[in-house]
């Protein structure tokens, strides 16, 4: 799905969160499979009492059910969330939204952006990832939005800073052109300066 752009807006970058955000999902997958394997092997042992042998099928069903729930909520859900969420930097705004599902998006117009910070933990720094904190608002109402776990965070931070500088320069030029008086000489109506 493409981002709907306004007139004269261009996409500068489109990124997905760093893959290190999937580490908890991977750990959940490995732990769940390990626990399930141990539990299935334990109740399938021949040395189990007759009661466990008699209700073996119920135990297997419970182990598979609990394992499936753990995999669905601990591995599949974070993986799908990671695949679904994108961040765009355009010439007019920063947008973070889901491709499928919730329409709730974070949109920060560059005109309201007052400051940008890069925050990296040691693990994020080693992986080249980081969190970008956007300070934005108007009329003294400032708020912070965080774009978490961005890959190549230093480059993305630099792109935001460059695009913000370009945007502000364009606004200043437009305002100067709007306020500049145009004098015309009396004869040909030609502008003396513009």
């Amino acid at each position: 799905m493409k981002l709907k752009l306004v007139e004269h807006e261009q996409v500068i970058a489109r990124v997905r969160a760093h893959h290190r955000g999937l580490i908890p999902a991977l750990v959940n997958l490995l732990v769940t499979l390990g626990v399930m394997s141990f539990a299935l092997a334990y109740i399938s042992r021949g040395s189990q009492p007759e009661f466990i042998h008699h209700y073996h099928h119920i135990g297997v069903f419970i182990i598979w059910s609990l394992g499936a729930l753990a995999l669905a909520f601990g591995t599949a859900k974070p993986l799908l969330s990671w695949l679904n969420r994108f961040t765009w930097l355009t010439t007019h705004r920063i947008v973070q939204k889901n491709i499928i599902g919730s329409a709730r998006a974070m949109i920060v117009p560059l005109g309201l952006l007052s400051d940008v910070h890069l925050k990296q933990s040691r693990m994020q720094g080693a992986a080249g990832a980081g969190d970008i904190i956007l300070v934005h608002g108007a009329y003294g109402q400032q708020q912070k939005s965080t774009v978490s776990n961005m890959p190549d965070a230093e480059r993305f931070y630099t792109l935001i800073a460059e695009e913000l500088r370009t945007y502000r320069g364009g606004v200043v030029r437009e305002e100067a052109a709007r306020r500049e008086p145009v004098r015309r000489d009396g004869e040909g109506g030609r502008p003396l300066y513009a």
Side-chain angles (χ1 to χ4, degrees), residues 172-184 191-194:
V172 167
R173 283 191 299 277
E174 285 178 18
E175 186 64 24
R178 191 174 63 89
R179 290 186 179 195
E180 185 174 287
V182 177
R183 286 191 10 202
R184 299 184 184 276
L192 293 177
Y193 64 91

Side-chain angles (χ1 to χ4, degrees), residues 40-61:
L40 288 171
Y42 183 76
I43 67 168
S44 298
R45 285 187 354 197
S47 62
Q48 293 294 342
E50 185 62 34
F51 174 77
I52 292 179
H53 278 295
H54 184 68
Y55 293 105
H56 174 265
H57 59 284
I58 295 174
V60 169
F61 175 76

Side-chain angles (χ1 to χ4, degrees), residues 1-6 9-16 85-99 103-110 113 134 145-147 150 156 160:
M1 179 180 134
K2 293 184 178 181
L3 180 67
K4 292 181 182 176
L5 303 174
V6 297
E9 183 179 23
Q10 295 178 349
V11 173
I12 305 300
R14 183 187 85 160
V15 294
R16 176 181 283 145
R85 193 136 182 99
F86 282 96
T87 302
W88 284 271
L89 170 63
T90 72
T91 53
H92 289 70
R93 58 196 167 146
I94 299 169
V95 179
Q96 187 176 54
K97 67 182 242 175
N98 292 335
I99 301 299
R104 189 170 169 225
M106 179 197 71
I107 301 172
V108 179
L110 292 180
L113 193 60
L134 308 169
S145 298
T146 302
V147 182
M150 287 286 93
F156 194 67
I160 292 173

Side-chain angles (χ1 to χ4, degrees), residues 33-157:
L33 291 178
V35 169
M36 283 179 61
S37 298
F38 174 78
L40 288 171
Y42 183 76
I43 67 168
S44 298
R45 285 187 354 197
S47 62
Q48 293 294 342
E50 185 62 34
F51 174 77
I52 292 179
H53 278 295
H54 184 68
Y55 293 105
H56 174 265
H57 59 284
I58 295 174
V60 169
F61 175 76
I62 290 171
I63 291 169
W64 276 105
S65 298
L66 293 175
L69 286 173
L71 290 174
F73 290 105
T75 301
K77 185 179 177 192
L79 176 64
L80 293 175
S81 296
W82 180 80
L83 287 171
N84 194 28
R85 193 136 182 99
F86 282 96
T87 302
W88 284 271
L89 170 63
T90 72
T91 53
H92 289 70
R93 58 196 167 146
I94 299 169
V95 179
Q96 187 176 54
K97 67 182 242 175
N98 292 335
I99 301 299
I100 301 170
S102 172
R104 189 170 169 225
M106 179 197 71
I107 301 172
V108 179
L110 292 180
L112 297 179
L113 193 60
S114 59
D115 204 0
V116 181
H117 302 286
L118 173 63
K119 185 177 96 177
Q120 287 181 309
S121 67
R122 287 185 182 172
M123 287 186 67
Q124 284 178 325
D131 298 337
I132 297 177
I133 300 165
L134 308 169
V135 181
H136 55 94
Y139 306 111
Q141 301 289 328
Q142 297 291 321
Q143 63 183 12
K144 291 182 181 180
S145 298
T146 302
V147 182
S148 300
N149 220 6
M150 287 286 93
D152 201 5
E154 291 177 2
R155 184 170 187 284
F156 194 67
Y157 172 76

